[in-house]
Amino acid sequence: MSGIDSSAFAASDHPHRRYNPLLDQWILVSPQRTKRPWHGELERPPADERPIYDPDCYLCPGNERANGECNPHYDSTFVFANDFAAVLPDVPPLETGEDSLFRLKTLRGEARVICYSPRHDLTLAEMSLPVIEAVIDLWIGQTAALGKTYAWVQVFENRGAMMGASNPHPHGQIWATDELSAIPRAEDACQRTYHSRRGSVMLLEYAHEECNRRERIVVENDNWLVVVPFWAVWPFETLLLPKTPTQRLTDLDAGQQRDLARILKGLLVKYDNLFQVSFPYSMGWHGAPYVEGASEHWQLHAHFFPPLLRSATVKKFMVGYELLAEAQRDITAEAAAQRLRELPDVHYKRRSG
Ligand code: H2U
Ligand code: ZN
């Protein structure tokens, strides 16, 4: 580095790489590119008006699903086994030798669909706090039940057609498997190494540090914090973190659950307000896996990965350099956090004028 004046560096101007300590990966940040001209679309998509009940929706109460079964006339949340499950509980066990170039092993699991509300027209962002609390309750109950059998319980939601959601009815999914999948395995290893080297919990320390720096906070309350993580890849990616040591959804006390409903609504309203559209995303929970041994290195968290970049229709593509070299972003995490933070806390559909 001789001859280079490092004091001239500005993260908001100069290309640099940032380290993701949760996955042991680097990402390229190119803030100088946000100045380049843009001639693409900027328009809003047509308003998304949906009925409270849709007779053709396979998730609405009383309706028939693909397998011929009818949903009950549920009035809160509703869970059913995915009719097209990606993982199955009964698979003949098989594992090839470790040395094979054609390595294969079977995986046992279960997939469920979770309906958040009987109302076809709502999204989490537009639901009342008690209704969001019922969804949290469902996440907790399902995690507790599936955690008795499976090592990994992945609670997630694909929102919006852009993220591949097959239906606008508010719903999520749970896939539980008897082995840790790739991303939780990497997060487990990174948090374990951090804990054994420093004797502290990585994401707890990270949350405290973000509270001190206040550069990347989007929303915050007594128990929770949402930041655009320092190492975010997606333009408006966020990380939701508890402020106290918490390993799993099933560890949340009543106060944390209430505050979680509030912060979820706070974040999702800001997301919808960004481009005045029901914001698409994939989100999901990562808590300590259900495996033998201590899990004090784990801190519960949720990731939100929204694909949108500069309008309701212009998404970021993970192509070229991203597929071949490493993830890259233009707008910095700090600039993205500031944009989200400064948005109103009232949903655009509820504002007059
Ligand atoms: P997504 O919108 O995230 O794709 O989730 C919907 C899930 O619902 C999807 O995994 C399942 C699909 O397999 N499904 C049923 O289980 N029954 C149906 O009748 C249609 C869809
Ligand atoms: Zn519906």
Side-chain angles (χ1 to χ4, degrees):
M1 293 289 282
S2 61
I4 296 175
D5 176 9
S6 63
S7 69
F9 171 78
S12 55
D13 293 327
H14 301 125
H16 57 279
R17 291 169 89 207
R18 294 191 186 194
Y19 181 67
N20 178 345
L22 199 50
L23 292 176
D24 184 24
Q25 280 176 2
W26 289 88
I27 85 136
L28 172 62
V29 184
S30 316
Q32 75 285 2
R33 289 178 86 205
T34 54
K35 283 131 201 160
R36 86 200 134 122
W38 172 255
H39 300 294
E41 329 141 74
L42 275 171
E43 82 283 6
R44 275 163 69 172
D48 169 31
E49 292 299 337
R50 275 180 282 136
I52 288 176
Y53 166 79
D54 177 352
D56 296 323
C57 167
Y58 59 80
L59 298 177
C60 274
N63 289 359
E64 190 178 322
R65 296 205 309 275
N67 69 350
E69 256 176 62
C70 281
N71 297 328
H73 290 274
Y74 64 99
D75 56 14
S76 175
T77 58
F78 168 54
V79 185
F80 61 91
N82 196 312
D83 301 316
F84 306 96
V87 281
L88 299 168
D90 299 306
V91 188
L94 173 75
E95 177 159 12
T96 57
E98 279 186 23
D99 296 336
S100 173
L101 278 176
F102 304 89
R103 213 170 149 186
L104 175 155
K105 59 181 163 183
T106 46
L107 180 71
R108 282 181 348 101
E110 266 177 68
R112 296 179 181 174
V113 179
I114 52 176
C115 297
Y116 293 170
S117 153
R119 287 273 302 266
H120 185 80
D121 58 325
L122 293 183
T123 65
L124 273 180
E126 296 164 87
M127 288 173 192
S128 68
L129 293 177
V131 174
I132 301 176
E133 281 178 38
V135 175
I136 294 167
D137 210 50
L138 176 74
W139 287 337
I140 294 171
Q142 290 294 309
T143 303
L146 288 162
K148 291 200 171 85
T149 310
Y150 297 105
W152 186 247
V153 183
Q154 184 60 64
V155 174
F156 67 99
E157 176 186 358
N158 296 318
R159 232 234 61 76
M162 199 181 264
M163 286 314 279
S166 57
N167 186 327
H169 192 112
H171 70 283
Q173 297 193 45
I174 306 179
W175 297 12
T177 53
D178 63 356
E179 260 199 275
L180 254 68
S181 30
I183 292 168
R185 177 175 294 280
E187 287 195 356
D188 184 62
C190 289
Q191 291 179 96
R192 188 185 299 276
T193 306
Y194 190 96
H195 187 260
S196 65
R197 282 196 189 146
R198 309 205 194 192
S200 57
V201 177
M202 179 201 285
L203 288 183
L204 194 56
E205 241 174 51
Y206 178 66
H208 288 158
E209 195 52 36
E210 288 289 22
C211 283
N212 291 336
R213 297 189 182 210
R214 313 208 69 77
E215 277 180 302
R216 281 169 295 273
I217 297 178
V218 177
V219 262
E220 186 186 9
N221 61 31
D222 286 349
N223 280 304
W224 298 88
L225 177 72
V226 174
V227 293
V228 176
F230 179 75
W231 53 82
V233 168
W234 293 91
F236 296 98
E237 173 179 338
T238 54
L239 184 63
L240 168 59
L241 294 163
K243 288 185 173 175
T244 49
T246 312
Q247 292 171 358
R248 301 186 176 101
L249 277 169
T250 47
D251 297 335
L252 298 177
D253 64 28
Q256 282 178 303
Q257 291 178 40
R258 265 197 306 276
D259 272 0
L260 176 55
R262 285 173 45 223
I263 206 157
L264 276 170
K265 188 168 172 84
L267 170 66
L268 297 177
V269 164
K270 281 181 182 293
Y271 268 162
D272 281 9
N273 284 342
L274 182 60
F275 300 127
Q276 307 228 334
V277 66
S278 184
F279 207 62
Y281 59 77
S282 276
M283 69 79 63
W285 285 100
H286 284 160
Y290 289 93
V291 291
E292 301 271 309
S295 48
E296 64 211 4
H297 56 289
W298 260 95
Q299 178 72 344
L300 173 74
H301 57 278
H303 297 277
F304 288 81
F305 301 117
L308 291 180
L309 175 61
R310 58 175 95 233
S311 78
T313 51
V314 179
K315 64 171 274 190
K316 174 180 174 64
F317 288 96
M318 288 287 183
V319 292
Y321 193 80
E322 274 104 349
L323 287 180
L324 292 154
E326 74 186 19
Q328 184 271 342
R329 65 182 289 132
D330 293 350
I331 175 178
T332 60
E334 297 72 46
Q338 186 182 356
R339 275 192 73 182
L340 289 171
R341 189 168 58 235
E342 288 172 356
L343 288 165
D345 296 316
V346 178
H347 198 274
Y348 69 90
K349 287 188 189 168
R350 303 219 170 274
R351 289 202 303 269
S352 49

